[in-house]
């Protein structure tokens, strides 16, 4: 079942896209090297539009006069709306695909070998292409090589593209098969999607699409817990975490074993990691048996410190009356509940951390004779988990057939590039310092080193702040390929390697 | 017929060629069944009469369809066991060795043969294979659970699984974690553990009932059942696959073929399929986007909940939207009206966003767009209670599913009170049902209470057959019956009721 698919998708699925090209677009893209100069001018004009601030104009010698003519006294701070619009502007996106997006490494990552194999060729890609006010969603795209993928991106300029499973045959040829049942998905990385919207009922700082540093820690916590479980419990090693561009993170588990799992196994892992159940009306969201499963004990230890600082202090989740009422409803003892209610009613605006402390204090003061200490401790553990444990969009992980946005796409709303997150430096990752397309393109322009170093041409992305992320991705991909080679040698089928 | 004239007498066939004689030996050999349970590895080889062939198959089929019905009715494992015991006793008895019954071997032979006959009948299509494997596994599980512990161990032993047992040192090292995954065991020495790849026990992993370390699952002896079951399903699946490939060779046979075909066609799904007849209700004007609010008083609680959430938030998340759209489609709301309904309900979003993100889903559900299969099938069918009850539970912010299942009891009671159910006795009953996980019974209880006057009337007048007052297992049936009962005596309604009985 496609989740938000735009109306035209079926009709236009396989239709040629030629008519969407701007006049000079197509020729430029195909012979990119020759057309470089033309693109350059065109793009910089655009860049100026979005960097409306006058003081940086001098850096763009080629177009500076033009801009100055148009807006003689531009305001120092650009309006956010125009900035957003320009981030996904067609020409910017085209420049992104031409100069920044690391197709080569994406190819190697999915292909697991230097020569194109079915791993890549039978892989489904889905493109979201803006056309007018609507987006067109093209499914079942597939490519023989990285270059062809790049070419199509440059030509169609999708606002994003997604990666699906590898099928039994080339997805483009699926309709030529005699039997429809012969076309089925066989392999895909195990994926996870953590999205901030699922945290809306416990974060006090922001709502909906917006995030801040305070709530990003929820994602940090989630990554820690999931990553640890995948490595220690399931023995997976090749796990790539990717910033989703706005307010979440994706995980791609690339071990061969993980890629080959069927839906039952995927569902099992998702179920193993999923803890919070129930909608808004189901009351208590954490209902777990004791003794705690080792995975939960470990997660609880991991999360406890975060709970104190990142939840109680910085989120202050029980400040309002109805949120505090929710906390009370989670406490098992009736008398204790009443005592706390009274206490908090008499001092409105009491901080959450004090409220949390009150629970123990009141319990010790003996307001309730029949207090079950063990039940209270369990309830407190449940509360910690409810406010810190990862909230996964489990459906994405359960199905082989689900598509997920590719790493290094550009988020259309923020313009930020979906960069990998290095888990060794997880705490330092700052979603607000992730480079945007426009920033990176600007960096290329202001690059002052030559175009060559040690006898080779410097890639455009090496001139930008995207470099550290692509370097990390490249080392990850190398790891994947190495692991794949090891698996092959162990099975002893390396005949095709003898040249 | 020519063909049958040429047929060689089957009793003589094996002796015709000396080359084939080596196979002839097994032909008459009666298998000895040592264990009550059977993994159905070896096909039976002795002859049975055609009558037995058909009779035994039908017996097993009865058992399997009852078992399927239990799962559709959402019976708990205990209820299923008690319900099935009499049926099994009647159609397919299977006693343990300790019972010393004289018919022991005959019972087991019947079980063995009937399984293989149905294998033939249900291997032709992937759908049938899947369903057969699922039901056979359920039956096996049921019997495995019932089995005498000692005989069970002997049976498992006879299967020769190569499961690695944990050494004593290893056990001590992991003692704390092992105990944490198996509530009830106080000492690691009480229990033996197997070490297997976690992929062999997905069921246990999903429920966090085993310890995992770097991809290995530590399965306690008493959870052995899921290992055995996984193995059973795996082997049955591949065996069915093989059978289906061998099936064309049966084409020549004009004695067995008709029986087998008959068996597989009679294995119809008792699933409460939605029939389009549920859609048109005589006497009711065609619903439009504007009168959903009025009609919503006849909706079952799951839909009322969605409706209220929609009105309160001006939004519903995907799965809730889907569940509600299909229900509305089921009551006869046209696609155009449905789109209007959603557009008006999502007050807070722009036309552009609506067209971009929501419109397509509604059209897809109606089969207006999408793949060929979707369009030809005119979209999805409205969800039955069974479907709604077996879906994943709603997560934060979601509101799909059956409230009797997803709501905490207190919230459920307040929701019921909000929709006007306040009878104390009734609410107590609902709470009890929900506690026993009999959600649909609770729902029917509410229905019967809300319509008690009308139900009495129709019963007195005899206008309604017993079939019409059957337990409701589909939200659209709920709506239809509710609407008709409340409009008794109006033109059209009565004839409709008569027609149905």
């Amino acid at each position: 079942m496609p989740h938000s698919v735009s109306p035209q998708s079926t009709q236009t699925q396989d239709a040629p896209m030629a008519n969407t090209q701007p006049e000079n677009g197509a020729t430029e893209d195909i012979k990119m090297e020759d057309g470089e100069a033309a693109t350059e001018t065109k793009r910089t004009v655009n860049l100026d539009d979005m960097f409306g601030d006058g003081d940086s104009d001098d850096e763009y010698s080629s177009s500076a006069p033009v801009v100055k003519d148009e807006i003689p006294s531009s305001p120092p701070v650009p309006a956010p709306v125009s900035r957003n619009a320009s981030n996904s502007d067609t020409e910017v996106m085209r420049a992104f695909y031409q100069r920044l997006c690391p197709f080569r490494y994406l190819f190697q990552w999915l292909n697991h070998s230097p020569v194109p194999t079915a791993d890549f060729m039978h892989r489904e890609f889905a493109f979201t292409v803006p056309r007018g006010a609507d987006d067109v969603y093209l499914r079942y795209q597939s490519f023989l090589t990285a270059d062809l993928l790049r070419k199509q991106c440059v030509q169609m300029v999708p606002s994003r593209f997604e990666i699906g499973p590898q099928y039994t045959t080339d997805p483009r040829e699926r309709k030529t098969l005699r039997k429809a049942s012969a076309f089925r998905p066989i392999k895909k990385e195990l994926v996870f999607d953590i999205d901030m919207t699922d945290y809306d009922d416990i974060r006090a700082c922001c709502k909906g699409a917006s995030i801040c540093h305070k709530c990003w820690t929820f994602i940090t916590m989630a990554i820690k817990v999931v990553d640890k479980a995948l490595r220690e419990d399931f023995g997976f090693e090749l796990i790539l975490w990717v910033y989703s561009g706005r307010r979440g993170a994706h995980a791609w588990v690339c071990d061969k074993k993980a890629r080959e799992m069927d839906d039952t196994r995927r569902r099992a892992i998702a179920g193993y990691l999923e803890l919070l159940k129930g909608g808004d009306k189901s009351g208590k969201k954490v209902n777990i048996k004791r003794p705690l499963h080792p995975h939960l004990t470990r997660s609880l230890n991991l999360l406890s410190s975060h709970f104190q600082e990142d939840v109680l202090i910085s989120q202050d989740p029980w400040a309002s009356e109805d949120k505090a009422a929710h906390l009370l409803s989670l406490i098992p003892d009736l008398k204790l509940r009443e005592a706390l209610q009274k206490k908090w009613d008499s001092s409105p605006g009491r901080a959450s951390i004090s409220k949390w402390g009150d629970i123990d204090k009141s319990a010790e003061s003996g307001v309730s004779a029949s207090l079950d200490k063990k039940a209270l401790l369990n309830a407190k553990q449940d509360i910690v988990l409810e406010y810190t444990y990862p909230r996964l969009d489990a459906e994405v992980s359960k199905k082989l057939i689900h598509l997920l946005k590719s790493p290094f796409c550009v988020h259309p709303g923020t313009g930020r590039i979906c960069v990998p997150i290095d888990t060794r430096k997880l705490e330092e990752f700052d979603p607000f310092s992730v480079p945007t397309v426009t920033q990176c393109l600007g960096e290329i322009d202001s690059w002052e080193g030559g175009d060559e170093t040690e006898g080779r041409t410097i890639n455009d992305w090496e001139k930008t702040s995207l470099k550290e992320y692509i370097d990390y991705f490249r080392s990850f991909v190398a790891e994947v390929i190495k692991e794949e080679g090891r698996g092959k040698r162990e099975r002893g089928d390396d005949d095709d390697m003898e040249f | 017929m020519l063909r049958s004239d040429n047929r060689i007498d089957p009793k003589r066939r094996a002796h015709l060629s000396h080359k084939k004689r080596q196979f002839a030996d097994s032909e008459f050999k009666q298998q000895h069944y040592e264990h009550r349970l059977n993994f159905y590895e070896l096909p039976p080889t002795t002859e049975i009469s055609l009558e037995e062939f058909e009779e035994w198959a039908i017996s097993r089929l009865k058992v399997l369809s009852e078992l399927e019905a239990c799962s559709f009715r959402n019976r708990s494992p205990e209820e299923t066991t008690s319900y099935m015991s009499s049926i099994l006793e009647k159609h397919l008895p299977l006693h343990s060795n300790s019972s010393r019954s004289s018919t022991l071997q005959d019972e087991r032979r019947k079980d063995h043969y009937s399984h293989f006959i149905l294998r033939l009948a249900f291997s032709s299509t992937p759908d049938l294979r899947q369903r057969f494997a699922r039901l056979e596994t359920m039956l096996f599980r049921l019997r495995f659970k019932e089995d005498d512990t000692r005989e069970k161990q002997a049976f498992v032993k006879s299967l020769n699984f190569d499961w690695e047992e944990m050494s004593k040192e290893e056990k001590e090292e992991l003692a704390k974690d092992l105990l944490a995954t198996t509530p009830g065991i106080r000492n690691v020495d009480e229990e033996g553990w197997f070490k297997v790849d976690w992929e062999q026990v997905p069921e246990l992993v999903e429920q966090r009932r085993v310890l995992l370390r770097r991809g290995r699952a530590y399965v306690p002896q008493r959870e052995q059942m899921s290992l055995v079951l996984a193995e059973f399903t795996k082997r049955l699946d591949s065996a069915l696959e093989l059978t289906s490939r061998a099936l064309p060779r049966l084409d020549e046979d004009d004695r067995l073929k008709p029986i087998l075909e008959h068996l597989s066609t009679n294995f119809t799904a008792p699933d409460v399929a939605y029939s389009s007849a549920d859609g048109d209700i005589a006497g009711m004007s065609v619903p439009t986007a504007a009168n959903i609010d009025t009609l919503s008083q006849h909706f079952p609680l799951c839909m009322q909940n969605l409706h209220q959430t929609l009105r309160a938030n001006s939004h519903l998340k995907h799965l809730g939207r889907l569940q509600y759209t299909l229900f509305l489609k089921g009551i006869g709301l046209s696609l155009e009206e449905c789109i209007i309904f959603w557009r008006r309900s999502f007050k807070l979003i722009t036309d552009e966003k609506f067209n971009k993100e929501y419109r397509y889903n509604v059209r897809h559900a109606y089969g207006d767009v999408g793949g060929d299969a979707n369009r030809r099938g005119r979209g999805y069918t409205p969800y039955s209670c069974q479907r709604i009850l077996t879906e994943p539970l709603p997560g934060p912010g979601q509101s799909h599913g059956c409230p009797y299942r997803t709501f905490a009891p207190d919230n459920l009671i307040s929701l019921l009170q909000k929709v006007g159910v306040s009878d104390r006795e009734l609410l107590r009953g609902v709470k009890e049902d929900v506690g026993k996980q009999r959600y649909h019974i609770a729902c029917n209880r509410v229905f019967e209470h809300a319509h008690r006057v009308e139900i009495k009337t129709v019963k007195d007048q005899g206008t309604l057959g017993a079939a019409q007052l059957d337990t409701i297992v589909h939200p659209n049936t709920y709506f239809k019956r509710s609407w008709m009962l409340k409009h008794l005596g109006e033109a059209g309604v009565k004839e409709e009721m008569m027609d149905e009985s």
Side-chain angles (χ1 to χ4, degrees):
Chain A
M1 164 69 206
H3 278 246
S4 56
V5 180
S6 71
Q8 284 96 325
S9 68
T10 33
Q11 293 97 312
T12 53
Q13 225 166 46
D14 302 313
M17 304 290 294
N19 54 350
T20 54
Q21 297 309 316
E23 302 84 339
N24 60 348
T27 41
E28 258 174 44
D29 307 326
I30 293 158
K31 284 187 255 166
M32 197 197 87
E33 278 76 20
D34 311 18
E36 197 81 296
T39 333
E40 182 88 351
T41 21
K42 195 154 189 216
R43 186 176 46 70
T44 33
V45 171
N46 268 302
L47 269 176
D48 288 325
D49 288 345
M50 55 198 126
F51 289 132
D53 30 353
D55 43 9
S56 64
D57 279 344
D58 310 273
E59 288 172 39
Y60 309 103
S61 48
S62 63
S63 55
V66 185
V67 172
K68 276 189 181 139
D69 285 349
E70 273 173 19
I71 18 171
S73 57
S74 52
V77 183
V81 183
S82 68
R83 191 178 187 113
N84 275 353
S86 54
N87 271 328
S88 57
D89 183 271
T90 317
E91 288 313 313
V92 175
M93 286 307 292
R94 179 165 292 135
F96 169 76
Y97 289 122
Q98 280 174 332
R99 322 187 73 176
L100 291 167
C101 191
F103 287 107
R104 202 174 115 102
Y105 302 121
L106 286 174
F107 162 79
Q108 290 178 352
W109 171 51
L110 297 173
N111 190 54
H112 318 110
S113 148
V115 231
T117 61
D119 285 14
F120 184 79
M121 293 189 285
H122 294 176
R123 184 68 90 136
E124 176 186 354
F125 290 84
F127 282 54
T128 308
V129 184
R131 188 181 301 163
D134 264 336
D135 277 350
V136 182
Y137 190 67
L138 302 163
R139 282 198 61 187
Y140 300 116
Q141 306 292 302
S142 60
F143 304 94
L144 296 179
T145 64
D147 273 346
L148 291 171
L149 170 62
R150 177 172 173 279
K151 203 181 260 177
Q152 182 162 338
C153 283
V154 173
Q155 198 184 28
M156 286 188 183
V157 203
S159 56
R160 64 186 212 170
F161 61 94
E162 292 171 357
I163 298 175
Q166 175 193 339
Y167 284 87
T168 42
T169 54
D170 188 341
R172 285 195 199 252
E173 323 241 287
R174 69 192 186 288
K175 285 191 175 153
T176 61
L177 294 171
R178 183 119 42 100
K179 271 191 354 206
S181 59
F183 181 72
R184 57 197 156 73
I186 42 176
K187 283 184 213 170
K188 196 189 69 182
E189 288 77 11
L190 171 68
V191 294
F192 294 93
D193 182 6
I194 306 167
D195 194 294
M196 196 69 86
T197 30
D198 294 326
Y199 287 84
D200 272 354
D201 62 324
I202 53 166
R203 60 179 181 148
C205 48
C206 319
K207 274 271 165 287
S210 55
I211 61 158
C212 63
H213 284 112
K214 279 186 195 170
C215 44
W216 180 255
T217 49
F218 280 120
I219 303 289
T220 310
M221 291 183 240
I223 293 179
K224 274 189 192 167
V225 169
V226 174
D227 194 74
K228 204 148 186 103
L230 289 173
R231 284 176 205 275
E232 289 191 355
D233 296 353
F234 292 96
F236 295 131
E237 279 161 4
L238 304 166
I239 306 170
L240 180 72
W241 286 92
V242 181
Y243 173 51
S244 74
R246 192 183 350 223
R247 48 174 174 176
H250 299 157
W252 297 80
V253 185
C254 308
D255 295 69
K256 196 174 175 68
K257 247 187 131 172
R259 298 201 311 263
E260 287 171 350
M261 284 191 301
D262 61 11
D263 282 351
T264 338
R265 311 242 140 70
R266 284 168 203 263
R267 205 169 46 236
I269 296 191
Y272 183 82
L273 294 173
E274 206 179 13
L275 183 65
L276 282 85
K277 293 248 170 74
D280 299 335
K281 294 282 172 53
S282 58
K284 206 160 174 290
K285 289 200 183 68
V286 178
N287 291 299
I288 34 175
K289 281 185 288 216
R290 311 291 151 159
L292 282 182
H293 186 276
H295 158 63
L296 295 177
T297 316
R298 180 188 56 212
S299 305
L300 199 60
N301 290 337
L302 212 66
L303 294 167
S304 296
S305 63
H306 282 290
F307 180 69
Q308 287 288 336
E309 282 168 30
D310 300 324
V311 178
L312 289 186
I313 298 178
S314 60
Q315 289 290 344
D316 201 3
W318 304 308
S320 71
E321 213 160 287
D322 58 320
K323 298 273 183 197
H326 177 66
L327 172 63
L328 282 176
S329 74
L330 298 175
I331 292 172
D333 193 275
L334 197 66
K335 287 243 176 65
L336 180 58
R337 230 188 271 180
E338 281 166 2
L340 288 170
Q341 179 79 58
K342 225 156 123 199
K343 187 163 191 175
W344 297 344
D345 281 347
S346 63
S347 62
R350 198 170 164 79
S352 293
I353 187 137
S354 319
K355 286 182 177 167
W356 182 246
D358 289 343
I359 298 176
D360 273 348
K361 261 184 243 148
S362 302
E364 273 161 31
S365 70
V367 284
S368 164
S370 59
L371 182 72
D372 181 349
K373 286 222 167 102
K374 191 135 194 200
L376 181 65
L377 179 70
N378 290 349
K380 282 184 68 184
Q381 286 180 338
D382 287 354
I383 294 169
V384 173
L385 287 173
E386 177 167 337
Y387 282 85
T388 51
Y389 193 85
R391 300 178 168 205
L392 299 170
D393 183 352
E395 291 310 306
V396 179
S397 313
K398 286 178 187 169
K399 291 264 168 61
L400 188 55
I401 203 156
H402 260 290
L403 297 131
L404 192 66
K405 185 162 66 172
S406 163
F408 295 104
C409 275
V410 176
H411 191 286
T414 60
R416 294 196 195 281
I417 298 167
C418 304
V419 295
I421 302 171
D422 187 345
T423 38
R424 289 165 302 185
K425 293 182 274 181
L426 178 62
E427 304 274 355
E428 295 158 35
F429 184 85
D430 173 8
F432 296 101
S433 70
V434 169
T436 62
V437 219
T438 45
Q439 178 196 339
C440 287
L441 293 174
E443 282 164 355
I444 299 179
D445 285 340
S446 51
W447 174 258
E448 280 168 0
D451 275 349
E452 276 188 30
T453 176
E454 295 156 17
R456 72 174 179 95
T457 325
I458 298 183
N459 292 312
D460 276 340
W461 54 262
E462 287 178 280
K463 303 169 186 167
T464 68
S465 41
L466 202 54
K467 181 171 188 300
E468 57 167 312
Y469 299 104
I470 295 185
D471 280 342
Y472 171 74
F473 185 61
R474 189 167 54 172
S475 65
F476 178 81
V477 171
E479 201 68 26
V480 172
I481 293 179
K482 203 171 106 201
E483 206 50 46
E484 193 78 4
R486 184 176 303 156
K488 267 195 186 141
R489 269 194 300 287
E490 269 166 21
R491 288 196 310 278
D493 53 6
D494 53 346
D495 322 20
D496 53 345
M497 302 287 280
E498 288 167 11
F499 285 106
Chain B
M1 272 200 297
L2 269 179
R3 199 152 32 103
S4 47
D5 291 340
N6 290 339
R7 189 192 300 280
I8 301 153
D9 177 6
K11 279 193 177 158
R12 287 173 50 208
R13 187 157 44 182
H15 301 283
L16 274 182
S17 154
H18 68 280
K19 282 184 188 156
K20 289 185 181 164
R21 189 154 295 167
Q22 53 177 324
F23 304 112
D25 182 29
S26 63
E27 196 138 326
F28 295 97
K29 193 166 169 189
Q30 174 65 51
Q31 257 191 55
H32 179 74
Y33 303 99
E34 221 171 292
H35 304 286
R36 174 176 173 255
L37 295 166
N38 196 334
F39 241 54
Y40 310 110
E41 295 277 83
L42 289 177
T45 43
T46 25
E47 286 182 23
I48 53 170
S49 72
L50 268 181
E51 285 72 41
E52 278 173 323
F53 185 89
E54 188 161 10
E55 229 170 73
W56 292 357
I58 290 175
S59 297
R60 195 181 191 88
L61 199 53
K62 279 214 176 98
V63 170
L64 293 185
S65 29
E66 285 293 341
L67 208 53
E68 191 171 42
C70 280
S71 83
F72 283 149
R73 302 223 171 88
N74 232 23
R75 286 211 162 110
S76 68
E78 293 76 39
E79 282 174 316
T80 310
T81 315
S82 64
Y83 177 78
M84 287 305 294
S85 66
S86 63
I87 290 169
L88 278 171
E89 194 57 46
K90 188 171 162 215
H91 296 290
L92 214 56
L94 208 54
H95 291 104
S96 62
N97 287 342
S98 52
S99 73
R100 303 194 184 284
S101 156
S102 56
T103 53
L104 217 54
Q105 287 299 319
D106 288 339
E107 286 172 1
R108 292 177 187 180
R109 196 159 75 107
K110 183 176 171 187
D111 176 59
H112 187 207
Y113 278 73
S114 60
H115 171 88
F116 274 93
I117 298 167
L118 291 194
R119 240 191 224 191
L120 282 180
F122 297 124
S123 60
S124 53
T125 70
D127 278 354
L128 279 174
R129 284 203 292 274
Q130 206 187 1
R131 208 160 130 225
F132 179 67
R134 200 186 68 231
L135 292 176
E136 277 290 334
T137 312
M138 278 170 72
L139 180 63
F140 184 83
R141 178 207 295 264
L142 197 71
R143 286 171 165 172
F144 191 82
K145 269 208 302 218
E146 299 271 279
D147 209 8
D148 177 276
T149 324
R150 199 145 22 93
E151 286 179 36
K152 190 153 61 180
Q153 289 310 336
F155 171 68
V156 173
K157 209 160 202 157
S158 75
L159 293 170
N160 291 326
F161 295 125
D162 49 346
W163 295 331
E164 191 184 338
E165 276 202 53
M166 262 179 106
S167 68
K168 208 166 160 54
E169 296 80 57
E170 226 178 339
K171 263 207 266 190
E172 262 151 36
E173 197 190 316
L174 292 172
K176 206 174 117 250
D177 289 340
L178 285 174
L179 292 182
T181 53
T182 45
I185 301 181
R186 310 222 165 254
N187 195 332
V188 276
D189 298 326
E190 284 173 31
E191 181 80 306
W193 269 272
F194 296 117
K195 221 162 55 172
V196 296
D197 194 291
W198 78 266
E199 298 198 347
Q200 285 191 22
V201 283
E203 202 185 336
L204 295 178
V205 170
E206 189 171 352
Q207 298 163 13
R208 283 192 292 268
R209 273 161 54 203
V210 281
L211 173 68
L212 288 180
R213 277 283 177 278
R214 305 208 60 81
R216 306 281 270 165
Y218 296 85
V219 185
Q221 201 120 41
R222 55 175 177 171
E223 296 286 8
Q224 184 189 58
M225 185 167 90
S226 50
L227 275 171
V228 177
L229 279 180
E231 195 63 34
F232 181 83
T233 319
K234 204 177 95 194
R235 293 194 193 178
L236 183 57
D237 278 341
S238 61
L240 281 171
E241 191 79 41
L242 282 177
T243 318
S244 76
R245 265 183 259 162
L247 207 57
R249 286 189 231 163
L250 252 178
D251 271 354
E252 290 300 299
D253 202 314
D254 47 14
R255 302 161 308 153
L256 300 184
K257 199 96 194 299
I259 301 180
L260 292 176
E261 258 161 23
H262 182 72
L263 286 172
S264 64
T265 47
N266 279 355
F267 194 37
T268 46
D271 185 15
V272 266
Y274 161 80
S275 67
S276 54
D278 281 351
D280 31 79
I281 302 173
M284 189 175 100
S285 56
V286 181
T288 60
N291 60 18
I292 296 297
D293 278 318
T294 340
L295 288 176
S296 74
Q297 55 173 311
H298 298 295
F299 290 2
L301 197 62
C302 47
M303 302 303 166
Q304 288 209 24
N305 173 41
L306 288 172
H307 192 78
Q308 287 182 359
T309 318
L310 176 64
R311 287 288 177 250
N313 303 345
S314 297
H315 192 263
L316 270 185
K317 289 219 173 184
H318 177 78
L319 290 172
R321 228 158 52 221
L322 188 62
Q323 181 180 326
Y324 199 32
T325 306
L326 294 176
F327 172 77
L328 293 177
K329 175 181 162 190
I331 70 169
L333 193 69
S334 66
L335 173 60
E336 291 70 31
E337 287 294 327
C338 195
I339 290 175
I340 295 173
F341 171 75
W342 285 111
R343 177 62 280 234
R344 284 192 194 149
S345 304
F346 285 13
K347 281 184 217 124
L348 306 176
I349 60 164
T350 59
D351 273 342
E352 187 194 340
K353 193 173 156 75
F354 180 83
N355 287 338
K356 210 160 145 185
E357 291 178 19
Y358 303 105
R359 193 191 176 89
Y360 185 85
N361 281 160
V362 179
R363 291 178 62 202
H364 200 272
Y366 271 78
D368 193 40
V369 284
D372 190 40
N374 186 45
R375 271 190 273 181
R376 220 175 323 153
R378 284 183 289 145
Y380 315 169
T381 42
Y383 289 170
S384 63
C385 292
Q386 128 108 37
R387 171 78 200 253
I388 293 172
L389 281 169
T390 48
E391 278 207 328
L393 285 167
Q398 294 180 318
S399 37
H400 62 268
C402 170
Y404 294 101
R405 172 168 175 251
T406 61
F407 276 42
D410 291 343
N411 290 335
L412 175 65
I413 299 301
S414 65
L415 176 70
L416 280 169
Q417 284 166 342
K418 215 161 86 189
V419 300
V421 180
S422 49
D423 188 274
R424 270 227 175 137
E425 193 60 24
L426 176 69
L427 289 177
R428 214 174 47 83
V430 166
K431 228 171 175 169
E432 207 167 90
D433 290 333
V434 169
K436 285 185 193 151
Q437 302 191 316
R438 295 192 303 198
Y439 310 114
H440 66 291
I441 304 271
C443 188
N444 277 285
R445 190 189 289 274
V446 170
F447 180 88
E448 275 160 28
H449 186 267
H451 301 87
R452 59 191 181 283
V453 184
E454 294 81 2
I455 291 178
K456 192 167 182 302
T457 323
V458 290
K459 266 194 185 151
D460 290 348
Q461 295 173 348
T463 36
L464 224 56
Q468 255 115 44
L469 293 172
D470 218 8
T471 318
I472 298 172
V473 285
H474 199 298
N476 286 98
T477 323
Y478 186 108
F479 170 77
K480 183 179 183 181
R481 201 177 294 173
S482 170
W483 194 89
M484 289 201 304
L485 286 171
K486 289 291 180 193
H487 292 81
L488 278 178
E490 285 173 28
V493 175
K494 209 161 181 181
E495 293 93 87
E496 168 97 0
M497 295 208 144
M498 296 301 283
D499 283 350
E500 265 195 32
S501 38

